[in-house]
Amino acid sequence: MTMNTNVRLKPDTPYVRAIRVITVLVLVVSGSSRTASAQIADLDPRIVKLVAAISEERLETILKKLETFETRSTLSSSTSSTRGIGAAGEWILQEMRSYSPKLQVSFDVHRVPKQGRITRDIELRNVMAILPGKSPRRIYVSGHYDTVARPGGQGATNAAGPASDPDAPAPPPNDPNAPLDNRAPGVNDDGSGTALTIELARVFVQSGIEFEATLVFMCHAGEEQGLVGARLHAQKAVAEDIPIEAILNNDIVGNDRGGNGIIDGATIRVYSEGPEDSPSRQLARFIQRWGARYVPSHRVRPMARPDRFGRGGDHSAYNQLGFTAVGFRESRENFTRQHDVRDTFEGISLPYLAQNARVNAASAATLALAPPPPAVTSERGQPLITRAPSGYDANLRWNASPGAAAYRIFWRDAWGPDWQHDLLVGNVTNVVLPNMQIDDYVFGVAAIDAQGHESFVTAYVTPPRANTTIRSGQY
Ligand SMILES: [Zn+2]
């Protein structure tokens, strides 16, 4: 391994020195594992290998194949074997099936009657590859394989300003069975997220790693008609109580040249729904933390907002139904190549797309090997944080996560987005940080297994206060 594997230095402040003493006391008192922290390393060599297996050549082959379907509009032909959404979905299914019999690949099928931008009754097919883990809890990596192209594309929509209609109709259809059949290559939007998802399915199943969590590699359809495939899958997950822990959605992640000439191939944006310590924000912070370790040459830029102005993606469909989901977006977009016939392979940077795939791979593999994030609230939903015993301490309690061998406490000033301090504690479910005023910091805790795989953080958050209307006037 060539990466830096130094043990992270802890902040050396009087507070922390005091905390170290207390933590030792906590460990001694609870009589818990003292071996866990000795084995914990920042990097897992198996994940290093998995990340290194991502192939620019494979990504190129997939993107060029996706382009050959000419359009993958959800309303294009579902019956042609060479052109349109039907042929594309079938190819993606067969491609992922070819990687290993361990990958359970199927169509996630939904009958969708005519509504909104779905202008005829359709059978919508998400393509889903499941890599079963030891636990049913699921980590998703996703993109959307459908496309759209409108006259002038996204460039014309943006240039027209806020009065424009982002859903401006395409030319009238000749064929009622394929009412949106004009050429829409969609190599970046969202061939890039689709290729990334397909390539990750390959490297994950071929890694031979037995993951704790079940991984799902999902290529959605219907995104361009209003996140339809993602919404339908999320609704099903709610109805069937499918334990989706995290969704890493990728949409427009393959171009590093902004339409204004500014080039950035070294960073990626990750959008997440608030409020500021929501699970989706914690997932974004997690990707920043673990991306920096396994892919230090690429910088993750978390964005504290659901998505770009006036624009949406499939992660939001999951957010709206209460799931933890983030959206990866290239740092510099070229709008003239979006929703446009010019969204071709020429607009792709393979090295950039591969870096984004590596960040996804490192994050999803770490999450899928880690215990689930700890719950830090009581059954009544109250945060398990107090000022006991002195009345001036930070007393943090949490529920044990299955498979955890240790926990890591994080904190930061209550004014600020990034965790500033962290402290590895043993296999305990309670730590007291003396003289730390809980009102002045945000605290959180992550679960870690014996090899150092870390969950995302669960933060201690005050539940929203109910509004009380005071009557006034008559006695
Ligand atoms: Zn898209």
Side-chain angles (χ1 to χ4, degrees), residues 263-344:
I263 298 173
D264 179 357
T267 74
I268 178 73
R269 296 177 293 174
V270 177
Y271 285 87
S272 62
E273 179 88 43
E276 64 181 354
D277 276 290
S278 69
S280 295
R281 290 279 161 84
Q282 305 304 347
L283 178 58
R285 291 184 180 105
F286 174 93
I287 292 164
Q288 183 186 36
R289 174 173 165 84
W290 289 94
R293 291 177 169 196
Y294 283 100
V295 196
S297 56
H298 211 50
R299 188 163 69 86
V300 172
R301 298 163 61 209
M303 297 287 148
R305 45 179 52 158
D307 208 332
R308 302 144 316 155
F309 276 100
R311 306 199 62 193
D314 283 333
H315 64 287
S316 297
Y318 288 94
N319 288 149
Q320 283 170 344
L321 286 168
F323 293 107
T324 302
V326 297
F328 287 80
R329 303 289 196 175
E330 65 196 22
S331 280
R332 294 288 175 176
E333 296 180 72
N334 184 342
F335 300 116
T336 61
R337 284 185 179 272
Q338 293 177 11
H339 301 166
D340 193 284
V341 290
R342 287 167 286 187
D343 186 359
T344 56

Side-chain angles (χ1 to χ4, degrees), residues 143-148 188-192 223-224 227 249-252 308 311-314 329 338-339 343:
H144 70 87
Y145 75 99
D146 66 304
T147 62
V148 75
N188 195 26
D189 182 11
D190 180 31
S192 59
E223 195 271 352
E224 303 288 6
L227 322 180
N249 188 57
N250 290 268
D251 193 354
I252 311 187
R308 302 144 316 155
R311 306 199 62 193
D314 283 333
R329 303 289 196 175
Q338 293 177 11
H339 301 166
D343 186 359

Side-chain angles (χ1 to χ4, degrees), residues 90-170:
E90 190 63 37
W91 179 80
I92 293 168
L93 179 98
Q94 296 302 339
E95 175 67 16
M96 292 203 285
R97 270 196 185 150
S98 74
Y99 296 150
S100 164
K102 272 194 249 165
L103 212 50
Q104 299 170 356
V105 190
S106 65
F107 289 124
D108 172 52
V109 181
H110 304 268
R111 294 172 71 116
V112 187
K114 181 178 165 177
Q115 60 191 297
R117 279 177 271 166
I118 302 283
T119 54
R120 68 173 162 105
D121 297 350
I122 56 162
E123 186 180 85
L124 181 146
R125 301 192 299 181
N126 298 319
V127 193
M128 183 167 74
I130 299 177
L131 178 57
K134 294 176 202 161
S135 149
R137 67 191 181 92
R138 289 185 176 188
I139 311 293
Y140 280 57
V141 176
S142 64
H144 70 87
Y145 75 99
D146 66 304
T147 62
V148 75
R150 290 188 290 265
Q154 189 65 31
T157 308
N158 283 12
S164 75
D165 174 9
D167 305 324

